Amino acid sequence: MTFVSPVLTGPSDTHARARQHERAVAEAAAAYAALPPDQPVRLAKRTSNLFRTRAAATAPGLDLSALQGVIEVDAVARTARVGGLTTYEQLVDELLPHGFVPLVVPQLRTITIGGAVTGLGIEAASFRNGLPHESVLEMRILTGTGEVVTATPDGEHADLFRTFPNSYGSLGYALDLVIELEPALPYVSLRHVRFPSVAALQDVVDAVMTTRAHAGERVDFVDGVVFSATESYLTLARWTDDLEGRVRPSDYTGDDIFYRSIQTRRRDVLTAHDYLWRWDTDWFWCSRAFGAQVPAVRRLWPRHLLRSDVYWRIVALENRHHVMGRIDRWRGRPPNERVVQDVEIPLHRTADFVSWFLREVPIEPIWLCPIQLRPDTHGRHDDPGDDPPWPLYPMRRDERYVNVGFWSTVPVAPGAADGDVNRAIERQVTDLGGHKSLYSDAYYDEATFARLYGDAAYRPVKRRYDPDGRFATLYEKAVQAR
Ligand SMILES: Cc1cc2nc3c(=O)[nH]c(=O)nc-3n(C[C@H](O)[C@H](O)[C@H](O)COP(=O)(O)OP(=O)(O)OC[C@H]3O[C@@H](n4cnc5c(N)ncnc54)[C@H](O)[C@@H]3O)c2cc1C
């Protein structure tokens, strides 16, 4: 049984949509072939969730924006073929009315499926559904040679399939993907549980990851917030089809702010749609930097502009013009270092990391999100040998992790240099057996980076699929911000 996106109505539309998509694929390959062969290629995209400041583009951009939308859904197999440039906002808008969602829906609306697969993504379902690329069954990729290949876990291009996650577009562009879906219910019921220490929270995460339940209730989603060493919360949530006695679900898209509700409410119910975007409205809590949480400002701020991509545009403007930096200098304040990172720490070292972080950095709140890679095709979580399933981000299947996210700035201490705090975090993460996502600033030297991010697996694939170096390398992109 198949259905197509709600903008389409019948089988003939399915075929029309598929034909239109095939035309877009052919046009993408033709546009790539027309680019000057001696210049590096970059993706021309209207939105981005990359935080590092990139050098001004000199290379021509490849516009793949036609590759958007749900092309086809198989409701029985619970799979969908989707364009690589489809945002999660569009995916949810098209799938949710039919009772489905992707297995992991990253929190920011404008993250695209191609971006989340090549740049990784995480969400409160990750403790049971892993990372977005783990629910990809097949991808068509435009490679550096200009070919469009179909990569699957076992086929001729299995090497590309395995190394694509965390390659950040340095091996090719995902034009479309077949992904697994899960059934959704209309509402999500939430419980916010307070802990006096992160160590106590860590123990409960471990238990929930084992039993997928807490205090007798099923748990479908888990994430957490640390407000201070003695005040942290887990939000344990589950799909539900009723309002549990309420007249209406809560609404955090206007005056009320979701992260504040965690401290004041023990239970809550949101629509599935609002739950999925609960963190987007205020960019977690980062909208406070723009005044959007001051009641007088919030009342004037149009609701539809309380969105992460709006804040992102403000940050992009600041990166270009450095207005705040100039004001700080004028006021005699020290310059600030940007500390915007997500790191994966083994679960049993999470409390150690957070206590080091709160002492040494310190930024709060901090976001926590438990994660474990999905079992292999035999349903096994053990890793035979030392071969990580996704070599460019070598998490182990048999290890439980917690993603720790912190997004702010700290003053550069006297005698210190911009980047020192980020470097200290990189060292601490490695010492604890963790990994750092690469969407933001990174400071590794080339040899360390090669060791930590699977260079031995990456190099032969880069040579095979991008022999002329049309795309910047992963190191150039992630550390040198090209
Ligand atoms: C403040 C902040 C918070 C974040 N929080 C989360 C979070 O909570 N959960 C989460 O999952 N992620 C989070 N991210 C990370 C985000 O998921 C990744 O940065 C992701 O790669 C962004 O996807 P995008 O579609 O916006 O891609 P872009 O930012 O446009 O591009 C990212 C990289 O991917 C490449 N790329 C984009 N599309 C494709 C494609 N189709 N094929 C191949 N390469 C492509 C680009 O060339 C670029 O190198 C966060 C990022 C920031 C800045």
Side-chain angles (χ1 to χ4, degrees):
M1 186 205 308
T2 62
F3 69 78
V4 288
S5 77
V7 289
L8 308 168
T9 50
S12 60
D13 291 321
T14 315
H15 296 309
R17 181 76 184 220
R19 271 200 307 276
Q20 188 188 339
H21 178 71
E22 289 312 310
R23 265 199 306 278
V25 168
E27 282 164 16
Y32 182 81
L35 292 173
D38 54 342
Q39 288 192 24
V41 181
R42 65 176 187 89
L43 197 54
K45 233 167 133 268
R46 264 190 296 278
T47 57
S48 171
N49 290 282
L50 271 189
F51 219 87
R52 48 181 168 265
T53 316
R54 278 172 288 181
T58 49
L62 182 65
D63 181 358
L64 300 180
S65 55
L67 295 153
Q68 276 185 46
V70 176
I71 301 150
E72 190 181 3
V73 175
D74 185 330
V76 173
R78 293 184 183 165
T79 61
R81 179 180 292 279
V82 304
L85 278 281
T86 315
T87 61
Y88 276 93
E89 179 169 40
Q90 186 176 0
L91 276 183
V92 168
D93 283 351
E94 298 197 12
L95 294 170
L96 198 54
H98 297 282
F100 286 110
V101 285
L103 263 58
V104 179
V105 179
Q107 294 90 335
L108 309 180
R109 291 170 190 260
T110 59
I111 292 177
T112 61
I113 179 126
V117 167
T118 196
L120 305 192
I122 191 162
E123 223 299 278
S126 290
F127 81 102
R128 60 186 172 90
N129 286 342
L131 298 166
H133 59 263
E134 294 189 274
S135 37
V136 174
L137 302 173
E138 179 184 314
M139 294 182 260
R140 273 201 295 181
I141 299 172
L142 173 63
T143 69
T145 60
E147 285 167 284
V148 176
V149 303
T150 301
T152 55
D154 303 310
E156 187 192 345
H157 303 290
D159 54 351
L160 181 58
F161 190 86
R162 249 165 55 83
T163 48
F164 198 75
N166 214 37
S167 68
Y168 277 88
S170 67
L171 297 174
Y173 296 128
L175 303 180
D176 58 36
L177 309 91
V178 178
I179 57 168
E180 294 175 72
L181 304 176
E182 82 170 23
L185 292 176
Y187 302 107
V188 176
S189 165
L190 294 76
R191 267 181 303 160
H192 306 300
V193 182
R194 183 174 174 165
F195 295 89
S197 69
V198 178
L201 176 148
Q202 180 181 302
D203 290 343
V204 172
V205 169
D206 202 18
V208 170
M209 288 179 88
T210 303
T211 61
R212 297 196 179 178
H214 179 69
E217 284 184 38
R218 196 185 72 241
V219 175
D220 296 324
F221 304 97
V222 191
D223 63 353
V225 180
V226 179
F227 288 91
S228 71
T230 55
E231 185 189 5
S232 52
Y233 298 82
L234 278 181
T235 296
L236 305 160
R238 62 180 162 76
W239 294 115
T240 177
D241 51 15
D242 76 73
L243 280 168
E244 303 183 341
R246 289 168 173 74
V247 178
R248 63 180 73 85
S250 295
D251 178 357
Y252 298 104
T253 62
D255 291 345
D256 296 334
I257 297 170
F258 178 70
Y259 85 96
R260 286 291 170 209
S261 76
I262 292 174
Q263 289 175 297
T264 53
R265 303 186 75 138
R266 298 282 60 85
R267 283 188 175 265
D268 214 340
V269 177
L270 298 180
T271 64
H273 178 274
D274 283 3
Y275 176 76
L276 293 172
W277 303 129
R278 69 202 179 285
W279 290 123
D280 188 84
T281 308
D282 282 286
W283 213 8
F284 291 84
W285 31 82
C286 301
S287 69
R288 69 184 174 188
F290 315 107
Q293 296 177 22
V294 176
V297 177
R298 199 171 180 90
R299 273 195 295 277
L300 296 175
W301 199 300
R303 246 178 195 235
H304 70 281
L305 297 182
L306 286 168
R307 293 171 50 100
S308 63
D309 51 337
V310 172
Y311 313 125
W312 204 94
R313 268 178 255 149
I314 303 174
V315 171
L317 266 180
E318 168 58 17
N319 284 343
R320 218 169 303 138
H321 303 293
H322 306 290
V323 180
M324 292 314 293
R326 276 203 289 266
I327 294 173
D328 282 345
R329 270 199 302 282
W330 176 65
R331 287 182 169 169
R333 288 191 185 149
N336 280 324
E337 174 175 344
R338 186 171 59 198
V339 183
V340 172
Q341 302 290 354
D342 277 71
V343 299
E344 263 73 54
I345 304 293
L347 172 62
H348 66 286
R349 305 306 305 272
T350 302
D352 296 338
F353 177 78
V354 172
S355 78
W356 172 86
F357 184 87
L358 290 175
R359 195 176 60 242
E360 300 291 329
V361 177
I363 286 172
E364 43 71 29
I366 302 169
W367 184 60
L368 303 179
C369 188
I371 152 95
Q372 182 163 17
L373 294 185
R374 293 178 76 190
D376 65 15
T377 45
H378 308 291
R380 291 162 54 147
H381 254 124
D382 50 338
D383 283 308
D386 276 336
D387 228 6
W390 308 100
L392 271 53
Y393 204 70
M395 293 169 70
R396 298 182 58 86
R397 268 194 227 281
D398 58 4
E399 181 88 61
R400 291 174 174 173
Y401 299 85
V402 173
N403 180 96
V404 185
F406 32 91
W407 316 291
S408 191
T409 58
V410 293
V412 177
D418 186 17
D420 282 359
V421 174
N422 277 286
R423 287 190 181 88
I425 292 168
E426 287 180 353
R427 283 192 298 274
Q428 188 68 11
V429 169
T430 303
D431 288 351
L432 293 178
H435 308 274
K436 189 179 100 157
S437 329
L438 295 177
Y439 69 78
S440 185
D441 308 295
Y443 292 84
Y444 301 104
D445 63 69
E446 211 158 346
T448 307
F449 187 85
R451 188 165 47 77
L452 296 178
Y453 292 96
D455 191 59
Y458 177 70
R459 262 174 204 268
V461 181
K462 180 77 173 162
R463 264 198 308 274
R464 177 175 175 195
Y465 293 97
D466 186 25
D468 299 323
R470 299 291 304 279
F471 308 124
T473 65
L474 180 58
Y475 186 76
E476 287 167 341
K477 286 192 145 208
V479 182
Q480 298 172 336
R482 294 216 199 139

